[in-house]
Amino acid sequence: MAHELILIVEDNEKNRKLIRDLLQVKGYQTIESETAEEGLRLAEEKSPALILMDIQLAGMDGITAMKQLKATPSTKAIPIIAITASAMTHNRETMLAEGFDGYQTKPLNLNEFLSDIERLIASGG
């Protein structure tokens, strides 16, 4: 386990730091982006094992970015977890139906969050 590279696409600096610190303590390597546009570029350049995608981003939103990643041959197999502050139950089904491989709400349930990451990395998506 661990040492896998995880791309964090999150515009809130405190959320990004929390996720980065948590993942690094667990042995994962991280790269970060504040925007979906930069996240798309990093995903192509670095081929992370997993992408954590905030839904509410300035500019391009996380759903649009995920769809572009899934439509690009070099990034389509990378699992993507949606991360959102909206905890409505129907949102989980909506996000998974859109094409996300996982769904987490803020504030993060750390055990559930890590378990989702481990499951998706182990299964390759």
Side-chain angles (χ1 to χ4, degrees):
M1 173 190 147
H3 301 303
E4 289 91 347
L5 182 64
I6 297 177
L7 170 58
I8 304 163
V9 183
E10 166 64 68
D11 59 355
N12 180 291
E13 187 178 342
K14 287 181 181 174
N15 289 341
R16 218 172 37 250
K17 180 181 180 343
L18 170 74
I19 294 168
R20 175 185 63 233
D21 291 351
L22 176 66
L23 293 174
Q24 288 180 355
V25 161
K26 293 295 181 180
Y28 295 104
Q29 296 178 49
T30 61
I31 50 174
E32 302 167 29
S33 168
E34 290 185 34
T35 66
E37 293 84 355
E38 184 186 15
L40 293 172
R41 182 183 60 75
L42 286 172
E44 286 228 29
E45 283 178 14
K46 306 291 184 180
S47 297
L50 179 75
I51 299 171
L52 302 172
M53 180 73 69
D54 186 20
I55 300 303
Q56 303 289 333
L57 295 164
M60 182 188 301
D61 65 66
I63 295 171
T64 303
M66 176 273 300
K67 288 185 175 182
Q68 284 192 25
L69 288 163
K70 295 293 186 183
T72 303
S74 60
T75 57
K76 70 180 180 183
I78 302 170
I80 305 172
I81 296 177
I83 300 187
T84 179
S86 178
M88 300 295 287
T89 310
H90 72 277
N91 285 348
R92 175 179 292 276
E93 289 87 37
T94 302
M95 291 296 118
L96 295 176
E98 288 281 1
F100 283 97
D101 301 287
Y103 177 87
Q104 294 289 317
T105 57
K106 298 175 199 170
L108 295 171
N109 172 321
L110 299 184
N111 288 334
E112 188 180 303
F113 177 64
L114 288 170
S115 168
D116 216 11
I117 288 171
E118 290 167 14
R119 174 184 61 83
L120 286 169
I121 287 178
S123 70

